[in-house]
Amino acid sequence: MTLSHPVAVITSDEQALIVASDLAEDFQRDSNLRDRERRLPLPELDVFSRSGLWGISVPREYGGAGVSNVTLASVIALIAKADGSLGQIPQNHFYALEVLRVNGSHEQKQRLYAEVLAGQRFGNALAELGTKTAHDRVTRLTRDGDGDGYRINGRKFYATGAIYAQRIPTSVVDENGVQQLAFVPRDSQGLSVIDDWSGFGQRTTGSGSVVFEDVYVAAEDVIPFQSAFERPTTVGPLAQILHAAIDTGIARAAYEDALHFVRSKTRPWIDSGNDKATEDPLTLKSFGHLSIRLHATEALLERAGQVLDAAQAQTNAETVAAASIAVAEARAISTEISLAAGSTLFELAGSQATLSEHGLDRHWRNARVHTLHDPVRWKYHAVGNYYLNNENPPLRGTI
């Protein structure tokens, strides 16, 4: 399946950033309306796909731009600033492409990368409810009789982007108890995508359920998954830098909306002795505090991308650990600033800012929901253990 309109192929980091900036300006225009009405962004995703941005991480040898992780994170942050949900929808798409890069065969890369460059979107069906831990999986992959294919049975949740995807990369446990990643076509018989996401933030990500009832998947569409975490790879830090970029974009949006509201609508507090809210010394102090932390977050995100680039270029235990820690630092601070910016906005802007027509509450709601993806408290633990005890972080997708 391909898009009905031509899909651009981006060829450089510079082009990717220009295209993302232009798209972000358009996406921001109705972001409040989409959130308020939970209007799924189907037209926006069509434009997003045709822009070529979903193919920017495809390696150059397979026809893509192979952009740096600095650029990839910047693109996601730009889109998330415009619309937090639109920024999150491609996260698992790029995650699946990294698993493909690390563990896929040459033939699998040729075929699946070509689909992406033609405009196809990959969603995800990874997480499950009701298991002992958030990382346990019970969705099964079994042989399809005497043939070369398999059958999938199980139920997934938090399947961000699946409702919009042409393929749904799905974590499955084979007959030997080993996790694989099956790139399942969205229109497969027995596959149901249920729009039952009811989170109070990230409302249009489509992060609901996917049900597999004896769904067939060809053998060539199954890629090793568990092995990506049994040796040092960049799959984990790649996943996490995208999450950090989403939070950074949400924080930037809240910060800029706070600036605009205080400049244009907020009245000075009577005890400030000033005629303008922008001259209130306590407001200035609060904006200074937010500005410094936001700029620090953006700097750490860029640094994390650089360290991750180095780990992809030369992958070993030391470089992957350094990348994981650099990304964990960015993820920790982006969690805090996205929540702080979304909350402090109202303290500085005043009661008028809470009116529903402004939609400013969406920034905090988006940040609060997205930052729960994995606990930030464990990132501080990993960072401290790395620097104090020279202990590398665990090889997982959540550090």
Side-chain angles (χ1 to χ4, degrees):
M1 295 179 292
T2 57
L3 297 180
S4 57
H5 300 288
V7 177
V9 176
I10 290 173
T11 58
S12 69
D13 291 60
E14 293 76 15
Q15 184 185 5
L17 292 169
I18 291 170
V19 171
S21 295
D22 290 342
L23 280 184
E25 188 173 338
D26 291 337
F27 291 163
Q28 186 171 4
R29 194 168 297 117
D30 292 326
S31 59
N32 179 29
L33 183 64
R34 288 192 296 272
D35 172 80
R36 185 167 67 242
E37 298 181 355
R38 197 174 180 271
R39 183 185 298 177
L40 299 184
L42 296 171
E44 290 78 12
L45 279 172
D46 184 59
V47 173
F48 199 177
S49 296
R50 287 190 282 110
S51 74
L53 285 174
W54 289 61
I56 58 175
S57 71
V58 172
R60 289 185 178 276
E61 58 265 36
Y62 292 96
V67 302
S68 71
N69 288 296
V70 175
T71 295
L72 180 60
S74 296
V75 165
I76 294 298
L78 283 167
I79 301 298
K81 173 179 174 286
D83 183 320
S85 291
L86 274 171
Q88 186 182 349
I89 290 169
Q91 189 270 332
N92 283 292
H93 170 93
F94 289 114
Y95 176 71
L97 293 185
E98 181 69 355
V99 177
L100 176 62
R101 187 188 72 82
V102 167
N103 273 359
S105 68
H106 174 64
E107 292 74 16
Q108 288 172 325
K109 292 176 184 178
Q110 278 189 317
R111 182 166 48 83
L112 294 173
Y113 282 146
E115 290 183 7
V116 169
L117 293 174
Q120 290 205 17
R121 295 185 293 265
F122 295 169
N124 96 96
L126 303 179
E128 299 176 12
L129 294 176
T131 54
K132 182 178 180 180
T133 75
H135 294 279
D136 290 329
R137 303 286 183 263
V138 296
T139 298
R140 308 299 300 184
L141 180 76
T142 55
R143 288 279 179 185
D144 182 36
D146 297 328
D148 293 332
Y150 300 90
R151 296 284 173 175
I152 300 175
N153 286 278
R155 187 183 185 99
K156 301 285 188 174
F157 195 61
Y158 302 119
T160 301
I163 197 170
Y164 309 115
Q166 284 79 40
R167 278 190 188 268
I168 303 176
T170 303
S171 63
V172 289
V173 179
D174 67 19
E175 292 159 323
N176 296 315
V178 177
Q179 277 199 60
Q180 312 289 343
L181 191 66
F183 285 67
V184 185
R186 168 68 175 82
D187 57 0
S188 297
Q189 185 175 355
L191 189 158
S192 302
V193 178
I194 304 171
D195 184 19
D196 57 352
W197 171 243
S198 61
F200 61 69
Q202 301 296 78
R203 299 186 68 227
T204 62
T205 56
S207 302
S209 301
V210 180
V211 180
F212 298 86
E213 296 177 304
D214 212 30
V215 173
Y216 177 82
V217 61
E220 59 264 27
D221 287 337
V222 178
I223 292 175
F225 191 26
Q226 185 170 317
S227 64
F229 304 102
E230 293 175 337
R231 70 189 196 280
T233 73
T234 51
V235 170
L238 185 283
Q240 286 296 306
I241 198 172
L242 297 172
H243 286 302
I246 294 163
D247 293 335
T248 301
I250 293 171
R252 169 59 69 174
Y255 172 78
E256 292 189 2
D257 275 353
L259 288 175
H260 174 74
F261 207 95
V262 171
R263 286 169 179 162
S264 61
K265 294 182 172 63
T266 302
R267 296 175 294 181
W269 182 242
I270 189 171
D271 294 326
S272 71
N274 297 108
D275 294 329
K276 298 179 180 179
T278 54
E279 297 171 351
D280 183 331
L282 298 184
T283 297
L284 296 176
K285 182 264 182 186
S286 293
F287 268 114
H289 193 53
L290 272 182
S291 301
I292 292 167
R293 288 190 290 166
L294 177 58
H295 293 153
T297 300
E298 291 169 337
L300 282 176
L301 183 66
E302 181 177 0
R303 172 180 174 270
Q306 293 168 348
V307 180
L308 182 52
D309 286 335
Q312 284 183 336
Q314 185 175 1
T315 303
N316 55 53
E318 290 71 29
T319 60
V320 169
S324 295
I325 292 300
V327 171
E329 292 174 359
R331 185 86 165 92
I333 194 171
S334 65
T335 292
E336 294 183 353
I337 188 59
S338 61
L339 292 169
S343 179
T344 305
L345 185 162
F346 297 103
E347 297 174 22
L348 300 178
S351 300
Q352 191 180 169
T354 66
L355 298 178
S356 61
E357 58 260 34
H358 301 307
L360 297 177
D361 59 308
R362 74 186 187 280
H363 300 310
W364 183 86
R365 289 187 289 103
N366 287 342
R368 182 63 286 175
V369 169
H370 181 257
T371 54
L372 295 175
H373 183 273
D374 42 80
V376 70
R377 60 189 178 274
W378 281 100
K379 298 190 187 304
Y380 283 107
H381 173 274
V383 172
N385 206 23
Y386 178 78
Y387 288 120
L388 184 62
N389 298 318
N390 296 315
E391 287 287 337
N392 288 348
L395 298 175
R396 284 204 307 269
T398 55
I399 295 295

